[in-house]
Amino acid sequence: MASPAVDFARSNQARFLDELKALLRIPSVSTLDEHKGDVLKAAEFVAADLRRIGMENVEVIPTKGHPLLYADWLHAAGKPTVLMYAHYDVQPPDPLEEWHTPPFEPTERNNNIYARGAVDDKGQLWMEVKALESLMQAHGGKLPINVKVIFEGEEGSGRRSDRRVCQEAESEVESGFRAGLRYGTVRAEYSHAVRRPARVGVHGD
């Protein structure tokens, strides 16, 4: 028997995928100065949805490079705190001639989504956000644990202007409970819910 969170994720799967595609259309290439505005646009896109689903203290924090995105929900007294990490920036899509479809126009083929960032890392990031939304909907606007979110915009460039902020947030999280790019029960529950029609594809094809 599926949990209410899984039921919510399944019933909203089409919307979740449409939202992911909208994020994938933003060419947030962190290594190219001409896309600096797009990187900010991607951060604001994600921040807006975090606010909408009920996360608190949502901030797009300026750095010497690209913005850091922070949010939290800390009302589960006596429960552990999870730190969720992902990045909303992407690498350049070159060489363009190796793409069968435009890299910033998400395309579904063979139950996969093909676009720059579909896996690394907008797909994982959006899965985390939708897991939080599903859990909050299932628990009357609350989460069963405390959550801190850090999404960065410099992973692709390697600049890491936000390293100090990340380290400070991580140092406050209880040891043994960290949700990163590949682990975490919050995202795993959502991943189980939406494994049916469209998997998230790879960089290119």
Side-chain angles (χ1 to χ4, degrees):
M1 181 177 177
S3 73
V6 171
D7 286 339
F8 179 84
R10 286 174 173 163
S11 63
N12 286 273
Q13 184 181 38
R15 172 173 66 85
F16 289 0
L17 288 173
D18 285 343
E19 293 168 348
L20 171 58
K21 289 177 182 178
L23 179 59
L24 291 170
R25 290 188 182 99
I26 303 173
S28 52
V29 181
S30 59
T31 57
L32 300 176
D33 289 342
E34 58 263 36
H35 287 290
K36 186 173 182 178
D38 294 313
V39 178
L40 176 59
K41 183 179 179 181
E44 291 175 338
F45 180 99
V46 177
D49 205 64
L50 287 169
R51 294 187 186 100
R52 182 190 64 80
I53 68 174
M55 294 295 288
E56 300 177 348
N57 301 310
V58 180
E59 292 185 73
V60 178
I61 304 170
T63 73
K64 292 179 180 179
H66 296 298
L68 176 72
L69 177 55
Y70 175 84
D72 62 35
W73 192 92
L74 304 171
H75 302 292
K79 300 294 184 179
T81 300
V82 168
L83 175 62
M84 302 180 73
Y85 165 83
H87 62 92
Y88 59 85
D89 65 311
V90 298
Q91 292 277 354
D94 306 298
L96 293 175
E97 63 270 15
E98 294 188 9
W99 288 82
H100 294 178
T101 51
F104 295 109
E105 184 50 53
T107 304
E108 288 191 50
R109 295 195 308 276
N110 303 318
N111 290 331
N112 291 283
I113 298 176
Y114 293 89
R116 172 57 95 221
V119 162
D120 186 9
D121 185 37
K122 291 178 179 178
Q124 282 88 336
L125 181 153
W126 207 244
M127 194 179 293
E128 292 178 8
V129 174
K130 297 298 102 175
L132 291 171
E133 179 179 356
S134 299
L135 288 168
M136 295 187 95
Q137 288 290 328
H139 294 274
K142 300 179 180 180
L143 292 171
I145 54 175
N146 300 295
V147 173
K148 291 187 176 185
V149 171
I150 291 180
F151 295 152
E152 66 163 309
E154 295 192 319
E155 197 277 343
S157 68
R159 284 191 293 236
R160 289 299 204 278
S161 301
D162 49 27
R163 185 181 301 277
R164 179 183 60 81
V165 181
C166 292
Q167 289 174 340
E168 289 177 358
E170 185 173 353
S171 69
E172 297 176 5
V173 176
E174 298 172 42
S175 61
F177 292 90
R178 182 175 181 184
L181 295 178
R182 297 176 176 84
Y183 303 102
T185 56
V186 173
R187 203 186 72 198
E189 184 171 3
Y190 171 67
S191 178
H192 172 76
V194 299
R195 67 181 185 274
R196 185 174 46 85
R199 295 168 293 163
V200 179
V202 295
H203 288 277
D205 58 315

